Amino acid sequence: MKQGNSTSTIFHADLDAFYVEVERQYDHSLLGKPVIVGGMGPRGVVATASYEAREFGVHSAQPTTIARKLCPQGYFLPGNHSLYSEVSKKFMHILRRYSPTVLSVSIDEAYLDMSGTKEIYGPPIGAAETIRQNIRDSIGLPVSIGIGPNKLVAKVCTEYAKPDGIFQIEQIGAERFFAPQPVRNLPGIGPKAEKALNNLKIFTLGEVAMAPDGLLRRALGPNRAGHIKSRAKGIDNTPLQEPRRAKSMSAETTFDADISSQSEMEVALKKLIERVGTRLRKSGNVARGVSIKLRFRDFATITRQHTLTTPSDGDQTIYQTAQALLLTAMRERNESIRLIGISVTGLDQRATQLSLLDSHSKTDSDTSLALDAIRERFGFKSISRGT
Ligand code: TTP
Ligand code: MG
């Protein structure tokens, strides 16, 4: 995936005053008026306000009672959340027509990887205009689109595009574009970080970019300082979409009667591992870790885990690891158990790990895959590996 390099074109699309604009579709008399959607009870808060109402100082998350004082002539509506989520689905659906990589990040907001689409949609601004028009024609809503070389710049651009517009900054201009902006404009800097920076006389993103590392570490902590500094220059290498995969898979079984013999536990463990292992191999992942869970008669529950030297998807490797964990756990607490469980963790795609697999892991993996094929044909109980 092309990300964060000069050829990437990322769009950030965000509907304008979303809930209000949906309400206006159903009641045209609300067009051009200060409209507020939110909780109407004494403890209710504003979900959103039309741009007309924002002029009075009304904003999201403000108590509705305050909004009423600021804007007594406003039209206050309780909102219809199932309708908004229906419309949101349609919005995302339209966006997916324009890019195979769309990352929806909230009900009315998504990133699109538009890299390499020039041949189809022309230059970015024209493409954004086409998308905006399509959204207006299909669901009647105004949307703003920020365009940048990465997610960060695109997102900040959207703020400049609003309402109902397009704004683009290329990588070459990103640092200069960010420099005069207050630190709070950077996604990821909240009120606390803002205050800490301001206390050190750092007010703009340009000042963050130039600040000595030690000073930033003092304000933001050692982990965030370097990250925020590069973001303050408009640099962001985060991929648009994390590969979708489960980080772990597990199975467990509760016994009808508590069991205390180690061999019974091992038999249960083996069955669970065959189940999880089959799922793991089907998903095309290998595991980096194995963990077991034991629940004792008194409901006390422990987990024990181990990181594999070589990632694996083979039942035998998983079983041997789990068995060793079981033995250690039993040495600590030799009591009968009511539940046993297994998890494979730290999953990663097998293809990207293949070169790391040693010959033993490959044999184990291949044997397990062969057993999967037999089970698929003749049923799960048809075959099992001897211990
Ligand atoms: P936003 O995109 O933050 O706001 P908006 O679409 O109303 O206005 P704009 O993007 O033009 O600034 O949020 C989308 C919807 O999410 C918003 O219409 C209502 C809901 N929402 C809340 O319910 N509570 C909140 O605090 C916020 C920020 C939004
Ligand atoms: Mg919005």
Side-chain angles (χ1 to χ4, degrees):
M1 198 185 310
K2 284 178 282 168
Q3 285 300 320
N5 59 44
S6 56
T7 60
S8 287
T9 305
I10 306 299
F11 283 16
H12 175 256
D14 187 314
L15 294 166
D16 297 329
F18 176 40
Y19 291 4
V20 165
E21 292 297 339
V22 175
E23 295 298 333
R24 283 175 167 167
Q25 297 273 299
Y26 289 85
D27 182 355
H28 288 185
S29 74
L30 297 171
L31 290 168
K33 306 255 169 66
V35 181
I36 295 105
V37 176
M40 293 295 124
R43 289 154 53 85
V45 293
V46 173
T48 194
S50 70
Y51 280 76
E52 294 81 358
R54 291 181 198 191
E55 306 241 314
F56 295 86
V58 179
H59 59 80
S60 296
Q62 182 177 59
T64 308
T65 46
I66 299 201
R68 281 190 195 279
K69 281 187 194 126
L70 291 170
C71 186
Q73 67 277 55
Y75 293 75
F76 287 78
L77 308 169
N80 179 346
H81 293 269
S82 54
L83 174 62
Y84 307 146
S85 73
E86 281 299 302
V87 178
S88 169
K89 277 188 206 142
K90 289 185 187 154
F91 169 59
M92 300 298 172
H93 189 73
I94 297 169
L95 296 181
R96 283 180 221 288
R97 278 188 218 156
Y98 293 92
S99 167
T101 315
V102 174
L103 175 65
S104 138
V105 284
S106 84
I107 191 163
D108 77 332
E109 182 190 3
Y111 293 96
L112 291 77
D113 189 346
M114 294 295 286
S115 314
T117 64
K118 211 169 173 180
E119 295 278 303
I120 317 169
Y121 302 116
I125 302 250
E129 205 40 83
T130 306
I131 295 176
R132 275 165 36 77
Q133 193 57 48
N134 189 346
I135 286 162
R136 195 174 266 293
D137 293 344
S138 320
I139 54 175
L141 298 180
V143 60
S144 297
I145 297 182
I147 306 169
N150 55 46
K151 282 160 72 183
L152 170 69
V153 174
K155 167 112 182 153
V156 175
C157 282
T158 303
E159 292 308 311
Y160 286 78
K162 277 186 176 292
D164 205 11
I166 299 171
F167 193 86
Q168 178 181 19
I169 290 288
E170 292 181 41
Q171 187 70 70
I172 197 166
E175 187 168 356
R176 231 177 42 203
F177 168 59
F178 274 21
Q181 298 192 35
V183 293
R184 191 62 196 282
N185 281 14
L186 193 76
I189 295 202
K192 254 165 97 179
E194 178 188 32
K195 189 152 180 261
L197 288 166
N198 290 172
N199 285 344
L200 295 170
K201 307 247 171 313
I202 297 174
F203 297 97
T204 65
L205 292 176
E207 286 163 355
V208 173
M210 305 238 289
D213 291 350
L215 200 64
L216 286 183
R217 277 199 291 272
R218 238 170 63 208
L220 305 165
N223 298 333
R224 285 178 72 204
H227 179 63
I228 296 272
K229 188 168 186 166
S230 64
R231 283 171 70 86
K233 299 177 194 165
I235 297 165
D236 171 25
N237 294 315
T238 57
L240 193 66
Q241 201 150 29
E242 296 294 340
R244 257 188 240 156
R245 58 170 183 256
K247 294 224 160 51
S248 67
M249 287 179 182
S250 55
E252 58 184 43
T253 185
T254 304
F255 305 106
D256 295 335
D258 296 354
I259 61 166
S260 54
S261 96
Q262 189 188 320
S263 61
E264 276 182 286
M265 292 180 198
E266 286 173 353
V267 169
L269 207 51
K270 192 158 156 281
K271 281 192 193 144
L272 291 172
I273 286 167
E274 284 171 359
R275 251 167 52 200
V276 169
T278 304
R279 270 167 58 204
L280 178 64
R281 289 180 291 277
K282 240 186 185 150
S283 74
N285 284 304
V286 288
R288 291 167 171 279
V290 173
S291 85
I292 62 158
K293 173 160 121 184
L294 299 174
R295 181 163 296 145
F296 297 95
R297 213 169 28 188
D298 62 355
F299 278 88
T301 307
I302 61 166
T303 58
R304 292 290 177 267
Q305 54 184 331
H306 181 78
T307 304
L308 300 171
T309 32
T310 315
S312 175
D313 66 353
D315 286 351
Q316 202 184 5
T317 307
I318 301 170
Y319 178 73
Q320 282 166 353
T321 311
Q323 190 189 32
L325 289 170
L326 176 67
L327 285 179
T328 318
M330 295 307 290
R331 267 200 295 273
E332 289 167 32
R333 193 169 174 166
N334 192 5
E335 290 171 31
S336 56
I337 58 165
R338 47 182 300 118
L339 172 150
I340 191 163
I342 175 87
S343 295
V344 288
T345 59
L347 305 192
D348 200 356
Q349 279 160 344
R350 187 174 192 270
T352 60
Q353 295 287 339
L354 262 185
S355 60
L356 294 175
L357 300 183
D358 55 25
S359 61
H360 170 77
S361 305
K362 283 205 181 82
T363 314
D364 184 15
S365 172
D366 290 345
T367 311
S368 301
L369 279 165
L371 292 177
D372 288 345
I374 295 172
R375 289 190 194 114
E376 183 131 322
R377 254 187 97 186
F378 301 108
F380 205 84
K381 292 201 175 122
S382 61
I383 191 160
S384 192
R385 205 195 300 233
T387 37

